Amino acid sequence: MKLYDGGRAPNPRRVRVFLAEKGIEVPLAPVDMGAMEHKGEEVASRNPLRRLPVLELDDGTVICESVAICRYFEELHPEPALFGRGALGKALVEMWQRRMEFNLLAPVAQAFRHIHPAMKEWEAPQIPEWGEANKPKAIAFLRILESELAHREFVAGDEFTIADITGLIAVDFMKPARIQVPEDCINVRRWHAAMSARPSAAA
């Protein structure tokens, strides 16, 4: 088994944090995304989208997409349950995982990819106006999350889940995307500080 890893990029990091929470060690194959190695044949032959992370199993089976990789390991190692417990718990985690991904991580990523000078060769065409248009979308969702976190410790309920991992990655990614968490989002800031303090956040 081998995990093709892209360092500090959001999706590779998301899988590493998940594995750290599970206490699972997987051999890593580092890929230098700064040198565009993810566009090379080694990754392309396993993932035609040329994106990371990529998990290659011992029998040659390849799993791409960060959440799909996490789900694979969840089935192999059910505890701690990071995708929820029971029908309702799993549905709520799925709901919040998708909300965090589509309404926070995605807009932040669009802002970064279309505004940051380092992404000029990656995102062609780079459309700064689209990047700027996504910034208020991320802030608007943080306002919703702020009210939700006033009533609970974690994003999807009473336990840490993949929804918290995606949220942590998204908020951390706001810095290079040049978006700031509003000062009055005290619950979001409290939650983010707690997530950042978890040992897995350093993975």
Side-chain angles (χ1 to χ4, degrees), residues 179-198:
I179 309 172
Q180 292 187 339
V181 176
E183 290 291 337
D184 59 346
C185 285
I186 56 175
N187 294 313
V188 171
R189 288 176 172 272
R190 178 265 306 161
W191 162 82
H192 181 252
M195 299 306 100
S196 300
R198 297 176 75 92

Side-chain angles (χ1 to χ4, degrees), residues 69-87:
I69 293 171
C70 291
R71 282 190 178 276
Y72 174 75
F73 285 110
E74 178 87 351
E75 294 299 317
L76 292 179
H77 306 274
E79 293 294 335
L82 298 182
F83 279 88
R85 301 176 188 276

Side-chain angles (χ1 to χ4, degrees), residues 24-165:
I24 301 171
E25 292 188 8
V26 177
L28 298 182
V31 178
D32 187 347
M33 296 183 74
M36 304 294 282
E37 287 183 359
H38 60 295
K39 300 293 186 181
E41 184 58 28
E42 187 172 17
V43 172
S45 64
R46 293 166 174 83
N47 182 4
L49 294 177
R50 301 171 189 258
R51 296 173 183 166
L52 298 171
V54 172
L55 178 67
E56 184 174 25
L57 305 183
D58 292 338
D59 66 357
T61 301
V62 171
I63 304 173
C64 305
E65 304 300 330
S66 55
V67 176
I69 293 171
C70 291
R71 282 190 178 276
Y72 174 75
F73 285 110
E74 178 87 351
E75 294 299 317
L76 292 179
H77 306 274
E79 293 294 335
L82 298 182
F83 279 88
R85 301 176 188 276
L88 178 58
K90 289 180 179 180
L92 291 174
V93 171
E94 180 72 12
M95 177 181 77
W96 277 104
Q97 155 60 22
R98 290 173 69 84
R99 285 178 170 179
M100 300 300 279
E101 190 161 36
F102 295 148
N103 298 290
L104 186 58
L105 181 56
V108 171
Q110 290 300 311
F112 176 76
R113 295 180 72 91
H114 284 276
I115 296 173
H116 201 288
M119 297 300 293
K120 190 171 184 179
E121 294 183 9
W122 289 43
E123 195 65 44
Q126 194 177 50
I127 306 172
E129 294 83 1
W130 175 239
E132 291 294 343
N134 273 276
K135 288 184 177 181
K137 295 180 182 181
I139 297 300
F141 181 74
L142 286 179
R143 298 286 185 194
I144 294 172
L145 186 62
E146 171 69 11
S147 62
E148 294 286 338
L149 289 173
H151 309 292
R152 57 182 181 271
E153 183 178 358
F154 300 105
V155 167
D158 297 327
E159 294 186 76
F160 180 90
T161 69
I162 191 171
D164 295 288
I165 295 175

Side-chain angles (χ1 to χ4, degrees), residues 15 34 65 68 173:
V15 172
E65 304 300 330
F173 199 32

